[in-house]
Amino acid sequence: MTTYNHTITGGGTVGHPGNVPRPYMVQSRIFDAADQNLSANDVVQMIDVPDNTIVIGGCLDVLEAGGSGLTYDVGLSTDIDAFADGVDGNADAIYQFNLKAAGINTVIAADAIQVKALGAGVTAGRFRVIAIMCDIGTGPKQT
């Protein structure tokens, strides 16, 4: 049996090596439906996601209830409910999302994290999105 070492040279095993991508947090502006009413199925682009990025996780933070029958989807243009599907828009709550097995968290072409209003129009309510992302476009030098 042969053991092959395919680890990154200089990567180290203690602490956080200096030659690896680092996740970062992005917080959207607060969307206030009192300023811009939403009809059912309207979509609000909340956070720009650069190409070659992975969305590791995040949350939809409903700061003010939007009304009875209102639900939200959170996702990307390729899958609008990739991160959250039908969460209650009539409750002040935080809805967390994380990595999905199907790889839909990986963005090859620039996109945006979007929130879609479902079920009812929104004339009240406020929300924001917080995301943890990481650039996956440039990895370690290939040898």
Side-chain angles (χ1 to χ4, degrees):
M1 177 184 91
T2 304
T3 300
Y4 298 97
N5 184 345
H6 197 65
T7 60
I8 299 169
T9 303
T13 57
V14 179
H16 299 283
N19 61 347
V20 296
R22 287 185 173 66
Y24 57 93
M25 189 270 297
V26 178
Q27 178 177 294
S28 72
R29 293 184 299 153
I30 294 172
F31 181 85
D32 191 339
D35 297 333
Q36 175 62 58
N37 294 345
L38 297 176
S39 298
N41 297 315
D42 280 355
V43 173
V44 181
Q45 295 180 332
M46 298 295 290
I47 295 176
D48 288 325
V49 181
D51 59 344
N52 296 312
T53 299
I54 186 166
V55 179
I56 298 169
C59 68
L60 171 67
D61 184 4
V62 179
L63 301 165
E64 182 181 328
S68 178
L70 172 66
T71 60
Y72 293 119
D73 285 350
V74 182
L76 301 165
S77 65
T78 54
D79 188 354
I80 193 63
D81 61 0
F83 303 140
D85 186 11
V87 298
D88 189 358
N90 193 33
D92 297 346
I94 296 174
Y95 301 98
Q96 295 179 323
F97 54 84
N98 53 23
L99 290 171
K100 306 291 184 194
I104 50 181
N105 294 63
T106 304
V107 175
I108 301 304
D111 204 338
I113 297 176
Q114 306 176 38
V115 176
K116 182 177 183 179
L118 300 167
V122 184
T123 58
R126 297 180 311 126
F127 58 84
R128 65 181 173 172
V129 172
I130 300 169
I132 307 298
M133 303 188 293
C134 187
D135 177 12
I136 58 171
T138 56
K141 190 176 194 179
Q142 299 298 315
T143 57

